[in-house]
Amino acid sequence: MSMVEMTEGQPRSTDGLQMDWIEVPFGPFFSGLPAGLRLTLTLDGDTVAASDATSLVGATNLMDGPQMNVTDFVDRLAAMMPLSPVAYRTLACAAIEDAAGVEPADDAQRGRAAAVERERIASHLNWLADFGLQSGFLWLAARAGALQLAVQDAGADGIAAQAGAIRRLTRRVQAAPLMRMRLGGIAPIGKDTPASGPVDRARGGGSDARIDDPTLAALGFEMRLQEGGDALARFRLRCDEIAQSLDLIAAAGIIAMPQVRDVKTVSGEGAARIETPRGAAQLRVRLVDGKVVQADLDTPSTVNLALVETLTAQQELGDALTAVVSLDLSPWEIRG
Protein backbone atom coordinates (compact mmCIF):
# COMPACT_ATOMS: atom_id res chain seq x y z
CA MET A 1 0.00 0.00 0.00
CA SER A 2 1.37 3.41 -0.94
CA MET A 3 1.84 6.29 1.51
CA VAL A 4 -0.91 8.20 -0.32
CA GLU A 5 -3.35 5.34 0.28
CA MET A 6 -2.29 4.95 3.92
CA THR A 7 -2.93 8.62 4.73
CA GLU A 8 -6.07 9.06 2.65
CA GLY A 9 -8.77 10.75 4.70
CA GLN A 10 -6.40 11.71 7.55
CA PRO A 11 -6.23 15.34 8.81
CA ARG A 12 -3.86 17.63 6.98
CA SER A 13 -1.07 19.15 9.05
CA THR A 14 0.05 22.78 8.90
CA ASP A 15 2.96 21.74 6.66
CA GLY A 16 0.55 20.22 4.16
CA LEU A 17 1.32 16.60 5.04
CA GLN A 18 -1.35 14.10 5.99
CA MET A 19 -0.63 11.71 8.83
CA ASP A 20 -2.23 10.01 11.80
CA TRP A 21 -3.15 12.19 14.75
CA ILE A 22 -2.99 10.45 18.11
CA GLU A 23 -4.38 11.43 21.50
CA VAL A 24 -1.87 11.10 24.33
CA PRO A 25 -2.80 11.56 28.01
CA PHE A 26 -0.42 13.44 30.31
CA GLY A 27 -1.73 13.18 33.85
CA PRO A 28 -3.23 12.92 36.31
CA PHE A 29 0.18 11.70 37.55
CA PHE A 30 2.63 13.04 34.97
CA SER A 31 5.93 14.33 36.38
CA GLY A 32 6.02 18.11 36.56
CA LEU A 33 2.26 18.59 36.20
CA PRO A 34 0.05 18.94 39.28
CA ALA A 35 -1.53 15.67 40.36
CA GLY A 36 -5.21 15.68 39.47
CA LEU A 37 -4.86 17.59 36.20
CA ARG A 38 -5.86 15.55 33.17
CA LEU A 39 -4.07 16.92 30.12
CA THR A 40 -4.78 15.21 26.80
CA LEU A 41 -2.75 16.33 23.79
CA THR A 42 -3.60 15.44 20.21
CA LEU A 43 -0.24 15.01 18.50
CA ASP A 44 0.53 15.53 14.83
CA GLY A 45 3.95 13.93 14.88
CA ASP A 46 5.70 15.78 17.71
CA THR A 47 3.50 18.88 17.31
CA VAL A 48 0.37 19.58 19.36
CA ALA A 49 -2.68 19.84 17.10
CA ALA A 50 -5.25 20.12 19.90
CA SER A 51 -5.42 19.93 23.69
CA ASP A 52 -7.89 19.35 26.47
CA ALA A 53 -7.21 20.09 30.14
CA THR A 54 -9.65 19.25 32.91
CA SER A 55 -9.59 18.73 36.65
CA LEU A 56 -10.29 15.32 38.13
CA VAL A 57 -10.50 16.66 41.69
CA GLY A 58 -12.12 20.11 41.55
CA ALA A 59 -15.67 21.51 41.54
CA THR A 60 -16.61 20.11 44.97
CA ASN A 61 -19.64 21.80 46.55
CA LEU A 62 -18.62 24.59 48.90
CA MET A 63 -21.46 23.81 51.26
CA ASP A 64 -21.93 20.53 53.08
CA GLY A 65 -25.68 20.81 53.46
CA PRO A 66 -28.13 23.74 53.50
CA GLN A 67 -26.27 25.53 56.30
CA MET A 68 -22.93 25.24 58.05
CA ASN A 69 -21.34 26.38 61.26
CA VAL A 70 -18.80 29.08 60.36
CA THR A 71 -15.88 27.10 61.82
CA ASP A 72 -16.84 24.03 59.81
CA PHE A 73 -17.16 26.12 56.66
CA VAL A 74 -13.70 27.65 57.11
CA ASP A 75 -12.16 24.21 57.73
CA ARG A 76 -13.96 22.76 54.70
CA LEU A 77 -12.79 25.46 52.29
CA ALA A 78 -9.19 25.14 53.52
CA ALA A 79 -9.28 21.36 53.12
CA MET A 80 -10.68 21.69 49.59
CA MET A 81 -7.56 23.61 48.48
CA PRO A 82 -4.54 21.49 49.50
CA LEU A 83 -2.08 23.55 47.42
CA SER A 84 -2.96 26.80 49.25
CA PRO A 85 -5.07 26.03 52.35
CA VAL A 86 -3.87 29.03 54.35
CA ALA A 87 -4.90 31.53 51.69
CA TYR A 88 -8.38 30.03 51.42
CA ARG A 89 -8.77 29.79 55.20
CA THR A 90 -7.88 33.48 55.39
CA LEU A 91 -10.34 34.23 52.58
CA ALA A 92 -13.18 32.41 54.34
CA CYS A 93 -12.50 34.15 57.65
CA ALA A 94 -12.42 37.56 55.97
CA ALA A 95 -15.68 37.00 54.08
CA ILE A 96 -17.49 35.82 57.21
CA GLU A 97 -16.13 38.76 59.22
CA ASP A 98 -17.28 41.14 56.49
CA ALA A 99 -20.79 39.65 56.64
CA ALA A 100 -20.81 39.96 60.43
CA GLY A 101 -19.32 43.45 60.50
CA VAL A 102 -16.35 42.50 62.69
CA GLU A 103 -12.65 43.15 62.14
CA PRO A 104 -9.61 41.39 63.64
CA ALA A 105 -7.01 43.29 65.67
CA ASP A 106 -3.94 44.68 63.91
CA ASP A 107 -1.64 41.95 65.24
CA ALA A 108 -3.98 39.26 63.96
CA GLN A 109 -4.12 40.95 60.56
CA ARG A 110 -0.31 41.09 60.35
CA GLY A 111 -0.04 37.46 61.39
CA ARG A 112 -2.55 36.38 58.77
CA ALA A 113 -0.84 38.37 56.05
CA ALA A 114 2.52 36.82 56.92
CA ALA A 115 1.01 33.32 56.95
CA VAL A 116 -0.28 33.82 53.40
CA GLU A 117 3.14 35.14 52.33
CA ARG A 118 4.82 32.09 53.85
CA GLU A 119 2.48 29.92 51.80
CA ARG A 120 3.34 31.96 48.70
CA ILE A 121 7.04 31.21 49.24
CA ALA A 122 6.36 27.49 49.69
CA SER A 123 4.03 27.39 46.69
CA HIS A 124 6.49 29.14 44.37
CA LEU A 125 9.30 26.86 45.58
CA ASN A 126 7.05 23.89 44.87
CA TRP A 127 6.49 25.26 41.37
CA LEU A 128 10.25 25.57 40.88
CA ALA A 129 10.67 21.96 42.01
CA ASP A 130 7.94 20.74 39.61
CA PHE A 131 9.44 22.73 36.76
CA GLY A 132 12.89 21.32 37.51
CA LEU A 133 11.46 17.80 37.47
CA GLN A 134 9.58 18.31 34.21
CA SER A 135 12.52 19.98 32.46
CA GLY A 136 15.30 17.69 33.67
CA PHE A 137 16.91 20.21 36.09
CA LEU A 138 17.08 17.64 38.87
CA TRP A 139 19.33 19.81 41.08
CA LEU A 140 16.60 22.47 41.05
CA ALA A 141 13.88 19.95 41.87
CA ALA A 142 15.87 18.63 44.83
CA ARG A 143 16.95 22.00 46.26
CA ALA A 144 13.63 23.81 45.81
CA GLY A 145 11.75 20.83 47.23
CA ALA A 146 13.95 20.72 50.31
CA LEU A 147 13.53 24.45 50.96
CA GLN A 148 9.78 24.20 50.50
CA LEU A 149 9.60 21.57 53.24
CA ALA A 150 11.78 23.74 55.48
CA VAL A 151 9.54 26.81 55.27
CA GLN A 152 5.98 25.61 54.87
CA ASP A 153 5.32 25.32 58.62
CA ALA A 154 8.11 27.58 59.92
CA GLY A 155 7.62 30.56 62.19
CA ALA A 156 8.99 34.02 61.47
CA ASP A 157 12.38 33.09 62.95
CA GLY A 158 12.49 29.90 60.92
CA ILE A 159 11.76 31.80 57.72
CA ALA A 160 14.54 34.25 58.56
CA ALA A 161 16.93 31.35 59.07
CA GLN A 162 16.17 29.97 55.59
CA ALA A 163 16.01 33.35 53.81
CA GLY A 164 19.65 33.38 52.74
CA ALA A 165 19.49 29.91 51.19
CA ILE A 166 16.25 30.75 49.39
CA ARG A 167 17.66 33.96 47.96
CA ARG A 168 20.80 32.17 46.79
CA LEU A 169 18.72 29.57 45.00
CA THR A 170 16.57 32.13 43.17
CA ARG A 171 19.64 34.11 42.12
CA ARG A 172 21.43 30.98 40.92
CA VAL A 173 18.50 29.69 38.91
CA GLN A 174 17.80 33.07 37.30
CA ALA A 175 21.44 33.40 36.27
CA ALA A 176 21.56 29.95 34.63
CA PRO A 177 21.92 30.37 30.82
CA LEU A 178 20.14 27.07 30.17
CA MET A 179 17.10 28.34 32.06
CA ARG A 180 16.83 31.40 29.84
CA MET A 181 17.29 29.25 26.75
CA ARG A 182 14.64 26.78 27.90
CA LEU A 183 11.96 29.32 28.81
CA GLY A 184 12.58 32.39 26.64
CA GLY A 185 9.88 32.90 24.04
CA ILE A 186 7.77 29.95 25.24
CA ALA A 187 4.00 30.48 25.57
CA PRO A 188 3.74 34.30 25.37
CA ILE A 189 0.43 35.79 26.45
CA GLY A 190 -0.88 39.09 25.10
CA LYS A 191 -2.08 41.86 27.38
CA ASP A 192 -5.72 41.56 26.25
CA THR A 193 -6.05 37.88 27.19
CA PRO A 194 -7.78 37.20 30.53
CA ALA A 195 -5.29 35.84 33.08
CA SER A 196 -4.68 35.91 36.82
CA GLY A 197 -1.83 36.12 39.29
CA PRO A 198 1.82 35.80 38.20
CA VAL A 199 0.61 34.81 34.71
CA ASP A 200 -1.13 38.19 34.50
CA ARG A 201 1.62 40.31 36.07
CA ALA A 202 4.42 38.80 33.97
CA ARG A 203 3.31 40.75 30.89
CA GLY A 204 4.05 44.24 32.14
CA GLY A 205 0.74 45.03 33.80
CA GLY A 206 -2.06 43.23 35.52
CA SER A 207 -3.47 43.31 39.02
CA ASP A 208 -2.73 42.09 42.53
CA ALA A 209 -5.37 41.91 45.26
CA ARG A 210 -2.73 42.82 47.84
CA ILE A 211 -2.70 46.40 46.56
CA ASP A 212 -5.99 47.05 48.39
CA ASP A 213 -4.84 45.51 51.68
CA PRO A 214 -3.89 48.22 54.20
CA THR A 215 -2.02 45.72 56.36
CA LEU A 216 0.29 44.76 53.51
CA ALA A 217 0.66 48.39 52.48
CA ALA A 218 1.92 49.16 55.99
CA LEU A 219 4.44 46.32 55.62
CA GLY A 220 5.82 47.89 52.45
CA PHE A 221 4.10 45.87 49.73
CA GLU A 222 4.47 47.01 46.12
CA MET A 223 3.22 45.01 43.14
CA ARG A 224 5.94 43.20 41.20
CA LEU A 225 5.85 43.06 37.39
CA GLN A 226 7.85 41.47 34.58
CA GLU A 227 7.89 42.18 30.85
CA GLY A 228 7.45 39.73 28.00
CA GLY A 229 4.50 37.61 29.09
CA ASP A 230 6.30 34.33 28.29
CA ALA A 231 7.29 31.38 30.47
CA LEU A 232 10.61 33.06 31.31
CA ALA A 233 8.84 36.19 32.58
CA ARG A 234 6.50 34.08 34.71
CA PHE A 235 9.49 32.21 36.14
CA ARG A 236 11.30 35.47 36.97
CA LEU A 237 8.22 37.00 38.55
CA ARG A 238 7.76 34.06 40.89
CA CYS A 239 11.39 34.40 41.95
CA ASP A 240 10.81 38.14 42.59
CA GLU A 241 7.72 37.37 44.65
CA ILE A 242 9.60 34.85 46.78
CA ALA A 243 12.11 37.55 47.72
CA GLN A 244 9.33 40.06 48.34
CA SER A 245 7.42 37.64 50.60
CA LEU A 246 10.57 37.10 52.67
CA ASP A 247 10.76 40.88 53.22
CA LEU A 248 7.06 41.14 54.13
CA ILE A 249 7.34 38.36 56.72
CA ALA A 250 10.39 40.03 58.23
CA ALA A 251 8.47 43.31 58.46
CA ALA A 252 5.45 41.59 60.07
CA GLY A 253 7.60 39.80 62.66
CA ILE A 254 4.86 37.30 63.36
CA ILE A 255 3.08 34.46 61.58
CA ALA A 256 -0.35 33.42 62.86
CA MET A 257 -2.89 31.05 61.36
CA PRO A 258 -6.25 32.78 60.79
CA GLN A 259 -9.04 31.96 63.20
CA VAL A 260 -12.66 32.77 62.45
CA ARG A 261 -14.35 35.24 64.78
CA ASP A 262 -17.41 34.33 66.82
CA VAL A 263 -20.32 35.76 64.80
CA LYS A 264 -22.98 34.59 67.30
CA THR A 265 -26.43 34.91 65.63
CA VAL A 266 -25.56 37.60 63.08
CA SER A 267 -27.24 37.64 59.67
CA GLY A 268 -25.82 39.43 56.63
CA GLU A 269 -23.90 39.19 53.37
CA GLY A 270 -20.18 39.67 52.94
CA ALA A 271 -17.33 39.25 50.50
CA ALA A 272 -13.56 39.11 50.53
CA ARG A 273 -10.77 38.96 47.96
CA ILE A 274 -7.26 37.62 48.49
CA GLU A 275 -4.17 37.13 46.36
CA THR A 276 -3.41 33.41 46.52
CA PRO A 277 -0.11 32.12 45.10
CA ARG A 278 -1.88 31.63 41.74
CA GLY A 279 -3.88 34.85 41.65
CA ALA A 280 -6.94 36.54 43.07
CA ALA A 281 -9.70 34.46 44.65
CA GLN A 282 -13.00 36.00 45.71
CA LEU A 283 -15.58 34.57 48.09
CA ARG A 284 -19.13 35.76 48.74
CA VAL A 285 -21.10 34.40 51.70
CA ARG A 286 -24.51 34.87 53.27
CA LEU A 287 -25.10 34.32 56.98
CA VAL A 288 -28.42 33.60 58.63
CA ASP A 289 -28.47 33.43 62.43
CA GLY A 290 -24.71 32.90 62.51
CA LYS A 291 -24.72 30.07 59.97
CA VAL A 292 -23.35 30.07 56.43
CA VAL A 293 -26.28 29.37 54.10
CA GLN A 294 -24.80 30.41 50.75
CA ALA A 295 -21.29 30.70 49.32
CA ASP A 296 -19.87 31.49 45.88
CA LEU A 297 -16.19 31.28 44.95
CA ASP A 298 -14.11 32.60 42.03
CA THR A 299 -10.61 31.14 41.63
CA PRO A 300 -7.53 32.02 39.55
CA SER A 301 -6.91 28.56 38.09
CA THR A 302 -10.37 28.60 36.54
CA VAL A 303 -9.28 31.70 34.60
CA ASN A 304 -5.83 30.41 33.66
CA LEU A 305 -7.06 26.98 32.57
CA ALA A 306 -8.63 28.63 29.52
CA LEU A 307 -5.12 29.56 28.30
CA VAL A 308 -3.98 25.95 27.80
CA GLU A 309 -5.49 25.40 24.38
CA THR A 310 -4.05 28.60 22.90
CA LEU A 311 -0.59 28.22 24.44
CA THR A 312 -0.12 24.62 23.32
CA ALA A 313 -1.52 24.83 19.78
CA GLN A 314 1.11 24.02 17.10
CA GLN A 315 3.85 23.80 19.72
CA GLU A 316 6.48 21.08 19.87
CA LEU A 317 5.54 18.61 22.61
CA GLY A 318 8.27 19.65 25.06
CA ASP A 319 7.42 23.34 24.68
CA ALA A 320 3.71 22.61 25.10
CA LEU A 321 4.30 20.81 28.39
CA THR A 322 6.52 23.66 29.57
CA ALA A 323 3.74 26.10 28.67
CA VAL A 324 1.24 24.24 30.84
CA VAL A 325 3.68 23.96 33.75
CA SER A 326 4.37 27.71 33.55
CA LEU A 327 0.71 28.44 34.37
CA ASP A 328 0.96 26.74 37.80
CA LEU A 329 -2.60 25.44 37.74
CA SER A 330 -4.26 23.97 40.81
CA PRO A 331 -6.80 21.29 39.81
CA TRP A 332 -8.59 21.81 43.13
CA GLU A 333 -9.29 25.46 42.26
CA ILE A 334 -10.94 24.69 38.92
CA ARG A 335 -14.66 25.34 39.21
CA GLY A 336 -17.35 24.31 36.74
Side-chain angles (χ1 to χ4, degrees):
M1 181 180 294
S2 70
M3 183 61 69
V4 173
E5 292 173 317
M6 290 177 62
T7 59
E8 185 177 1
Q10 297 297 329
R12 188 173 295 275
S13 305
T14 55
D15 59 7
L17 298 176
Q18 286 180 302
M19 59 191 305
D20 286 328
W21 287 9
I22 59 172
E23 286 191 354
V24 183
F26 294 89
F29 301 110
F30 186 75
S31 297
L33 295 177
L37 181 70
R38 183 176 66 187
L39 175 66
T40 302
L41 301 180
T42 301
L43 298 181
D44 174 15
D46 65 351
T47 301
V48 176
S51 63
D52 179 67
T54 57
S55 170
L56 299 179
V57 294
T60 305
N61 291 331
L62 297 179
M63 299 287 296
D64 182 17
Q67 64 178 27
M68 292 187 69
N69 177 281
V70 292
T71 301
D72 293 339
F73 177 78
V74 170
D75 291 342
R76 179 177 174 82
L77 185 58
M80 285 172 57
M81 303 296 179
L83 296 186
S84 45
V86 176
Y88 282 94
R89 175 177 292 277
T90 302
L91 179 66
C93 289
I96 289 169
E97 289 160 356
D98 184 60
V102 297
E103 186 172 341
D106 289 345
D107 285 351
Q109 294 279 37
R110 287 201 341 271
R112 285 184 184 185
V116 175
E117 295 307 311
R118 177 184 63 185
E119 185 170 79
R120 195 180 318 280
I121 295 169
S123 180
H124 287 352
L125 286 171
N126 181 65
W127 178 84
L128 282 173
D130 283 346
F131 169 72
L133 188 63
Q134 192 269 332
S135 300
F137 296 101
L138 299 185
W139 67 267
L140 175 59
R143 188 60 179 143
L147 287 171
Q148 178 210 359
L149 293 176
V151 303
Q152 62 184 8
D153 294 318
D157 291 342
I159 298 293
Q162 297 293 334
I166 294 171
R167 293 182 194 275
R168 285 193 295 273
L169 174 65
T170 57
R171 287 195 298 266
R172 176 187 175 187
V173 73
Q174 289 188 84
L178 285 176
M179 197 66 64
R180 295 193 295 272
M181 294 170 60
R182 184 69 191 89
L183 296 177
I186 299 296
I189 298 173
K191 293 187 178 181
D192 295 330
T193 303
S196 185
V199 178
D200 183 23
R201 295 188 291 274
R203 49 189 180 173
S207 62
D208 191 315
R210 291 175 287 177
I211 289 178
D212 300 323
D213 188 326
T215 299
L216 284 163
L219 296 177
F221 171 78
E222 293 182 356
M223 183 169 65
R224 295 290 194 266
L225 300 172
Q226 281 286 338
E227 298 288 341
D230 60 0
L232 180 60
R234 295 190 279 278
F235 156 74
R236 285 174 169 167
L237 181 61
R238 291 188 180 103
C239 289
D240 287 348
E241 290 191 347
I242 288 173
Q244 180 185 50
S245 293
L246 290 171
D247 292 338
L248 293 172
I249 292 171
I254 182 175
I255 296 176
M257 290 294 290
Q259 302 295 327
V260 67
R261 297 285 296 274
D262 182 6
V263 297
K264 301 185 185 301
T265 58
V266 171
S267 297
E269 296 183 359
R273 189 167 178 261
I274 192 170
E275 190 70 22
T276 77
R278 292 162 186 82
Q282 182 165 307
L283 177 67
R284 297 166 294 278
V285 299
R286 183 160 69 92
L287 302 181
V288 174
D289 295 331
K291 306 288 186 181
V292 180
V293 298
Q294 183 177 344
D296 297 292
L297 177 66
D298 299 324
T299 63
S301 289
T302 302
V303 177
N304 291 337
L305 181 72
L307 297 168
V308 170
E309 184 174 5
T310 300
L311 295 185
T312 58
Q314 299 305 312
Q315 299 299 307
E316 186 271 336
L317 176 58
D319 290 346
L321 291 173
T322 297
V324 177
V325 171
S326 76
L327 298 177
D328 190 20
L329 300 170
S330 169
W332 290 270
E333 286 185 348
I334 295 170
R335 314 293 300 168

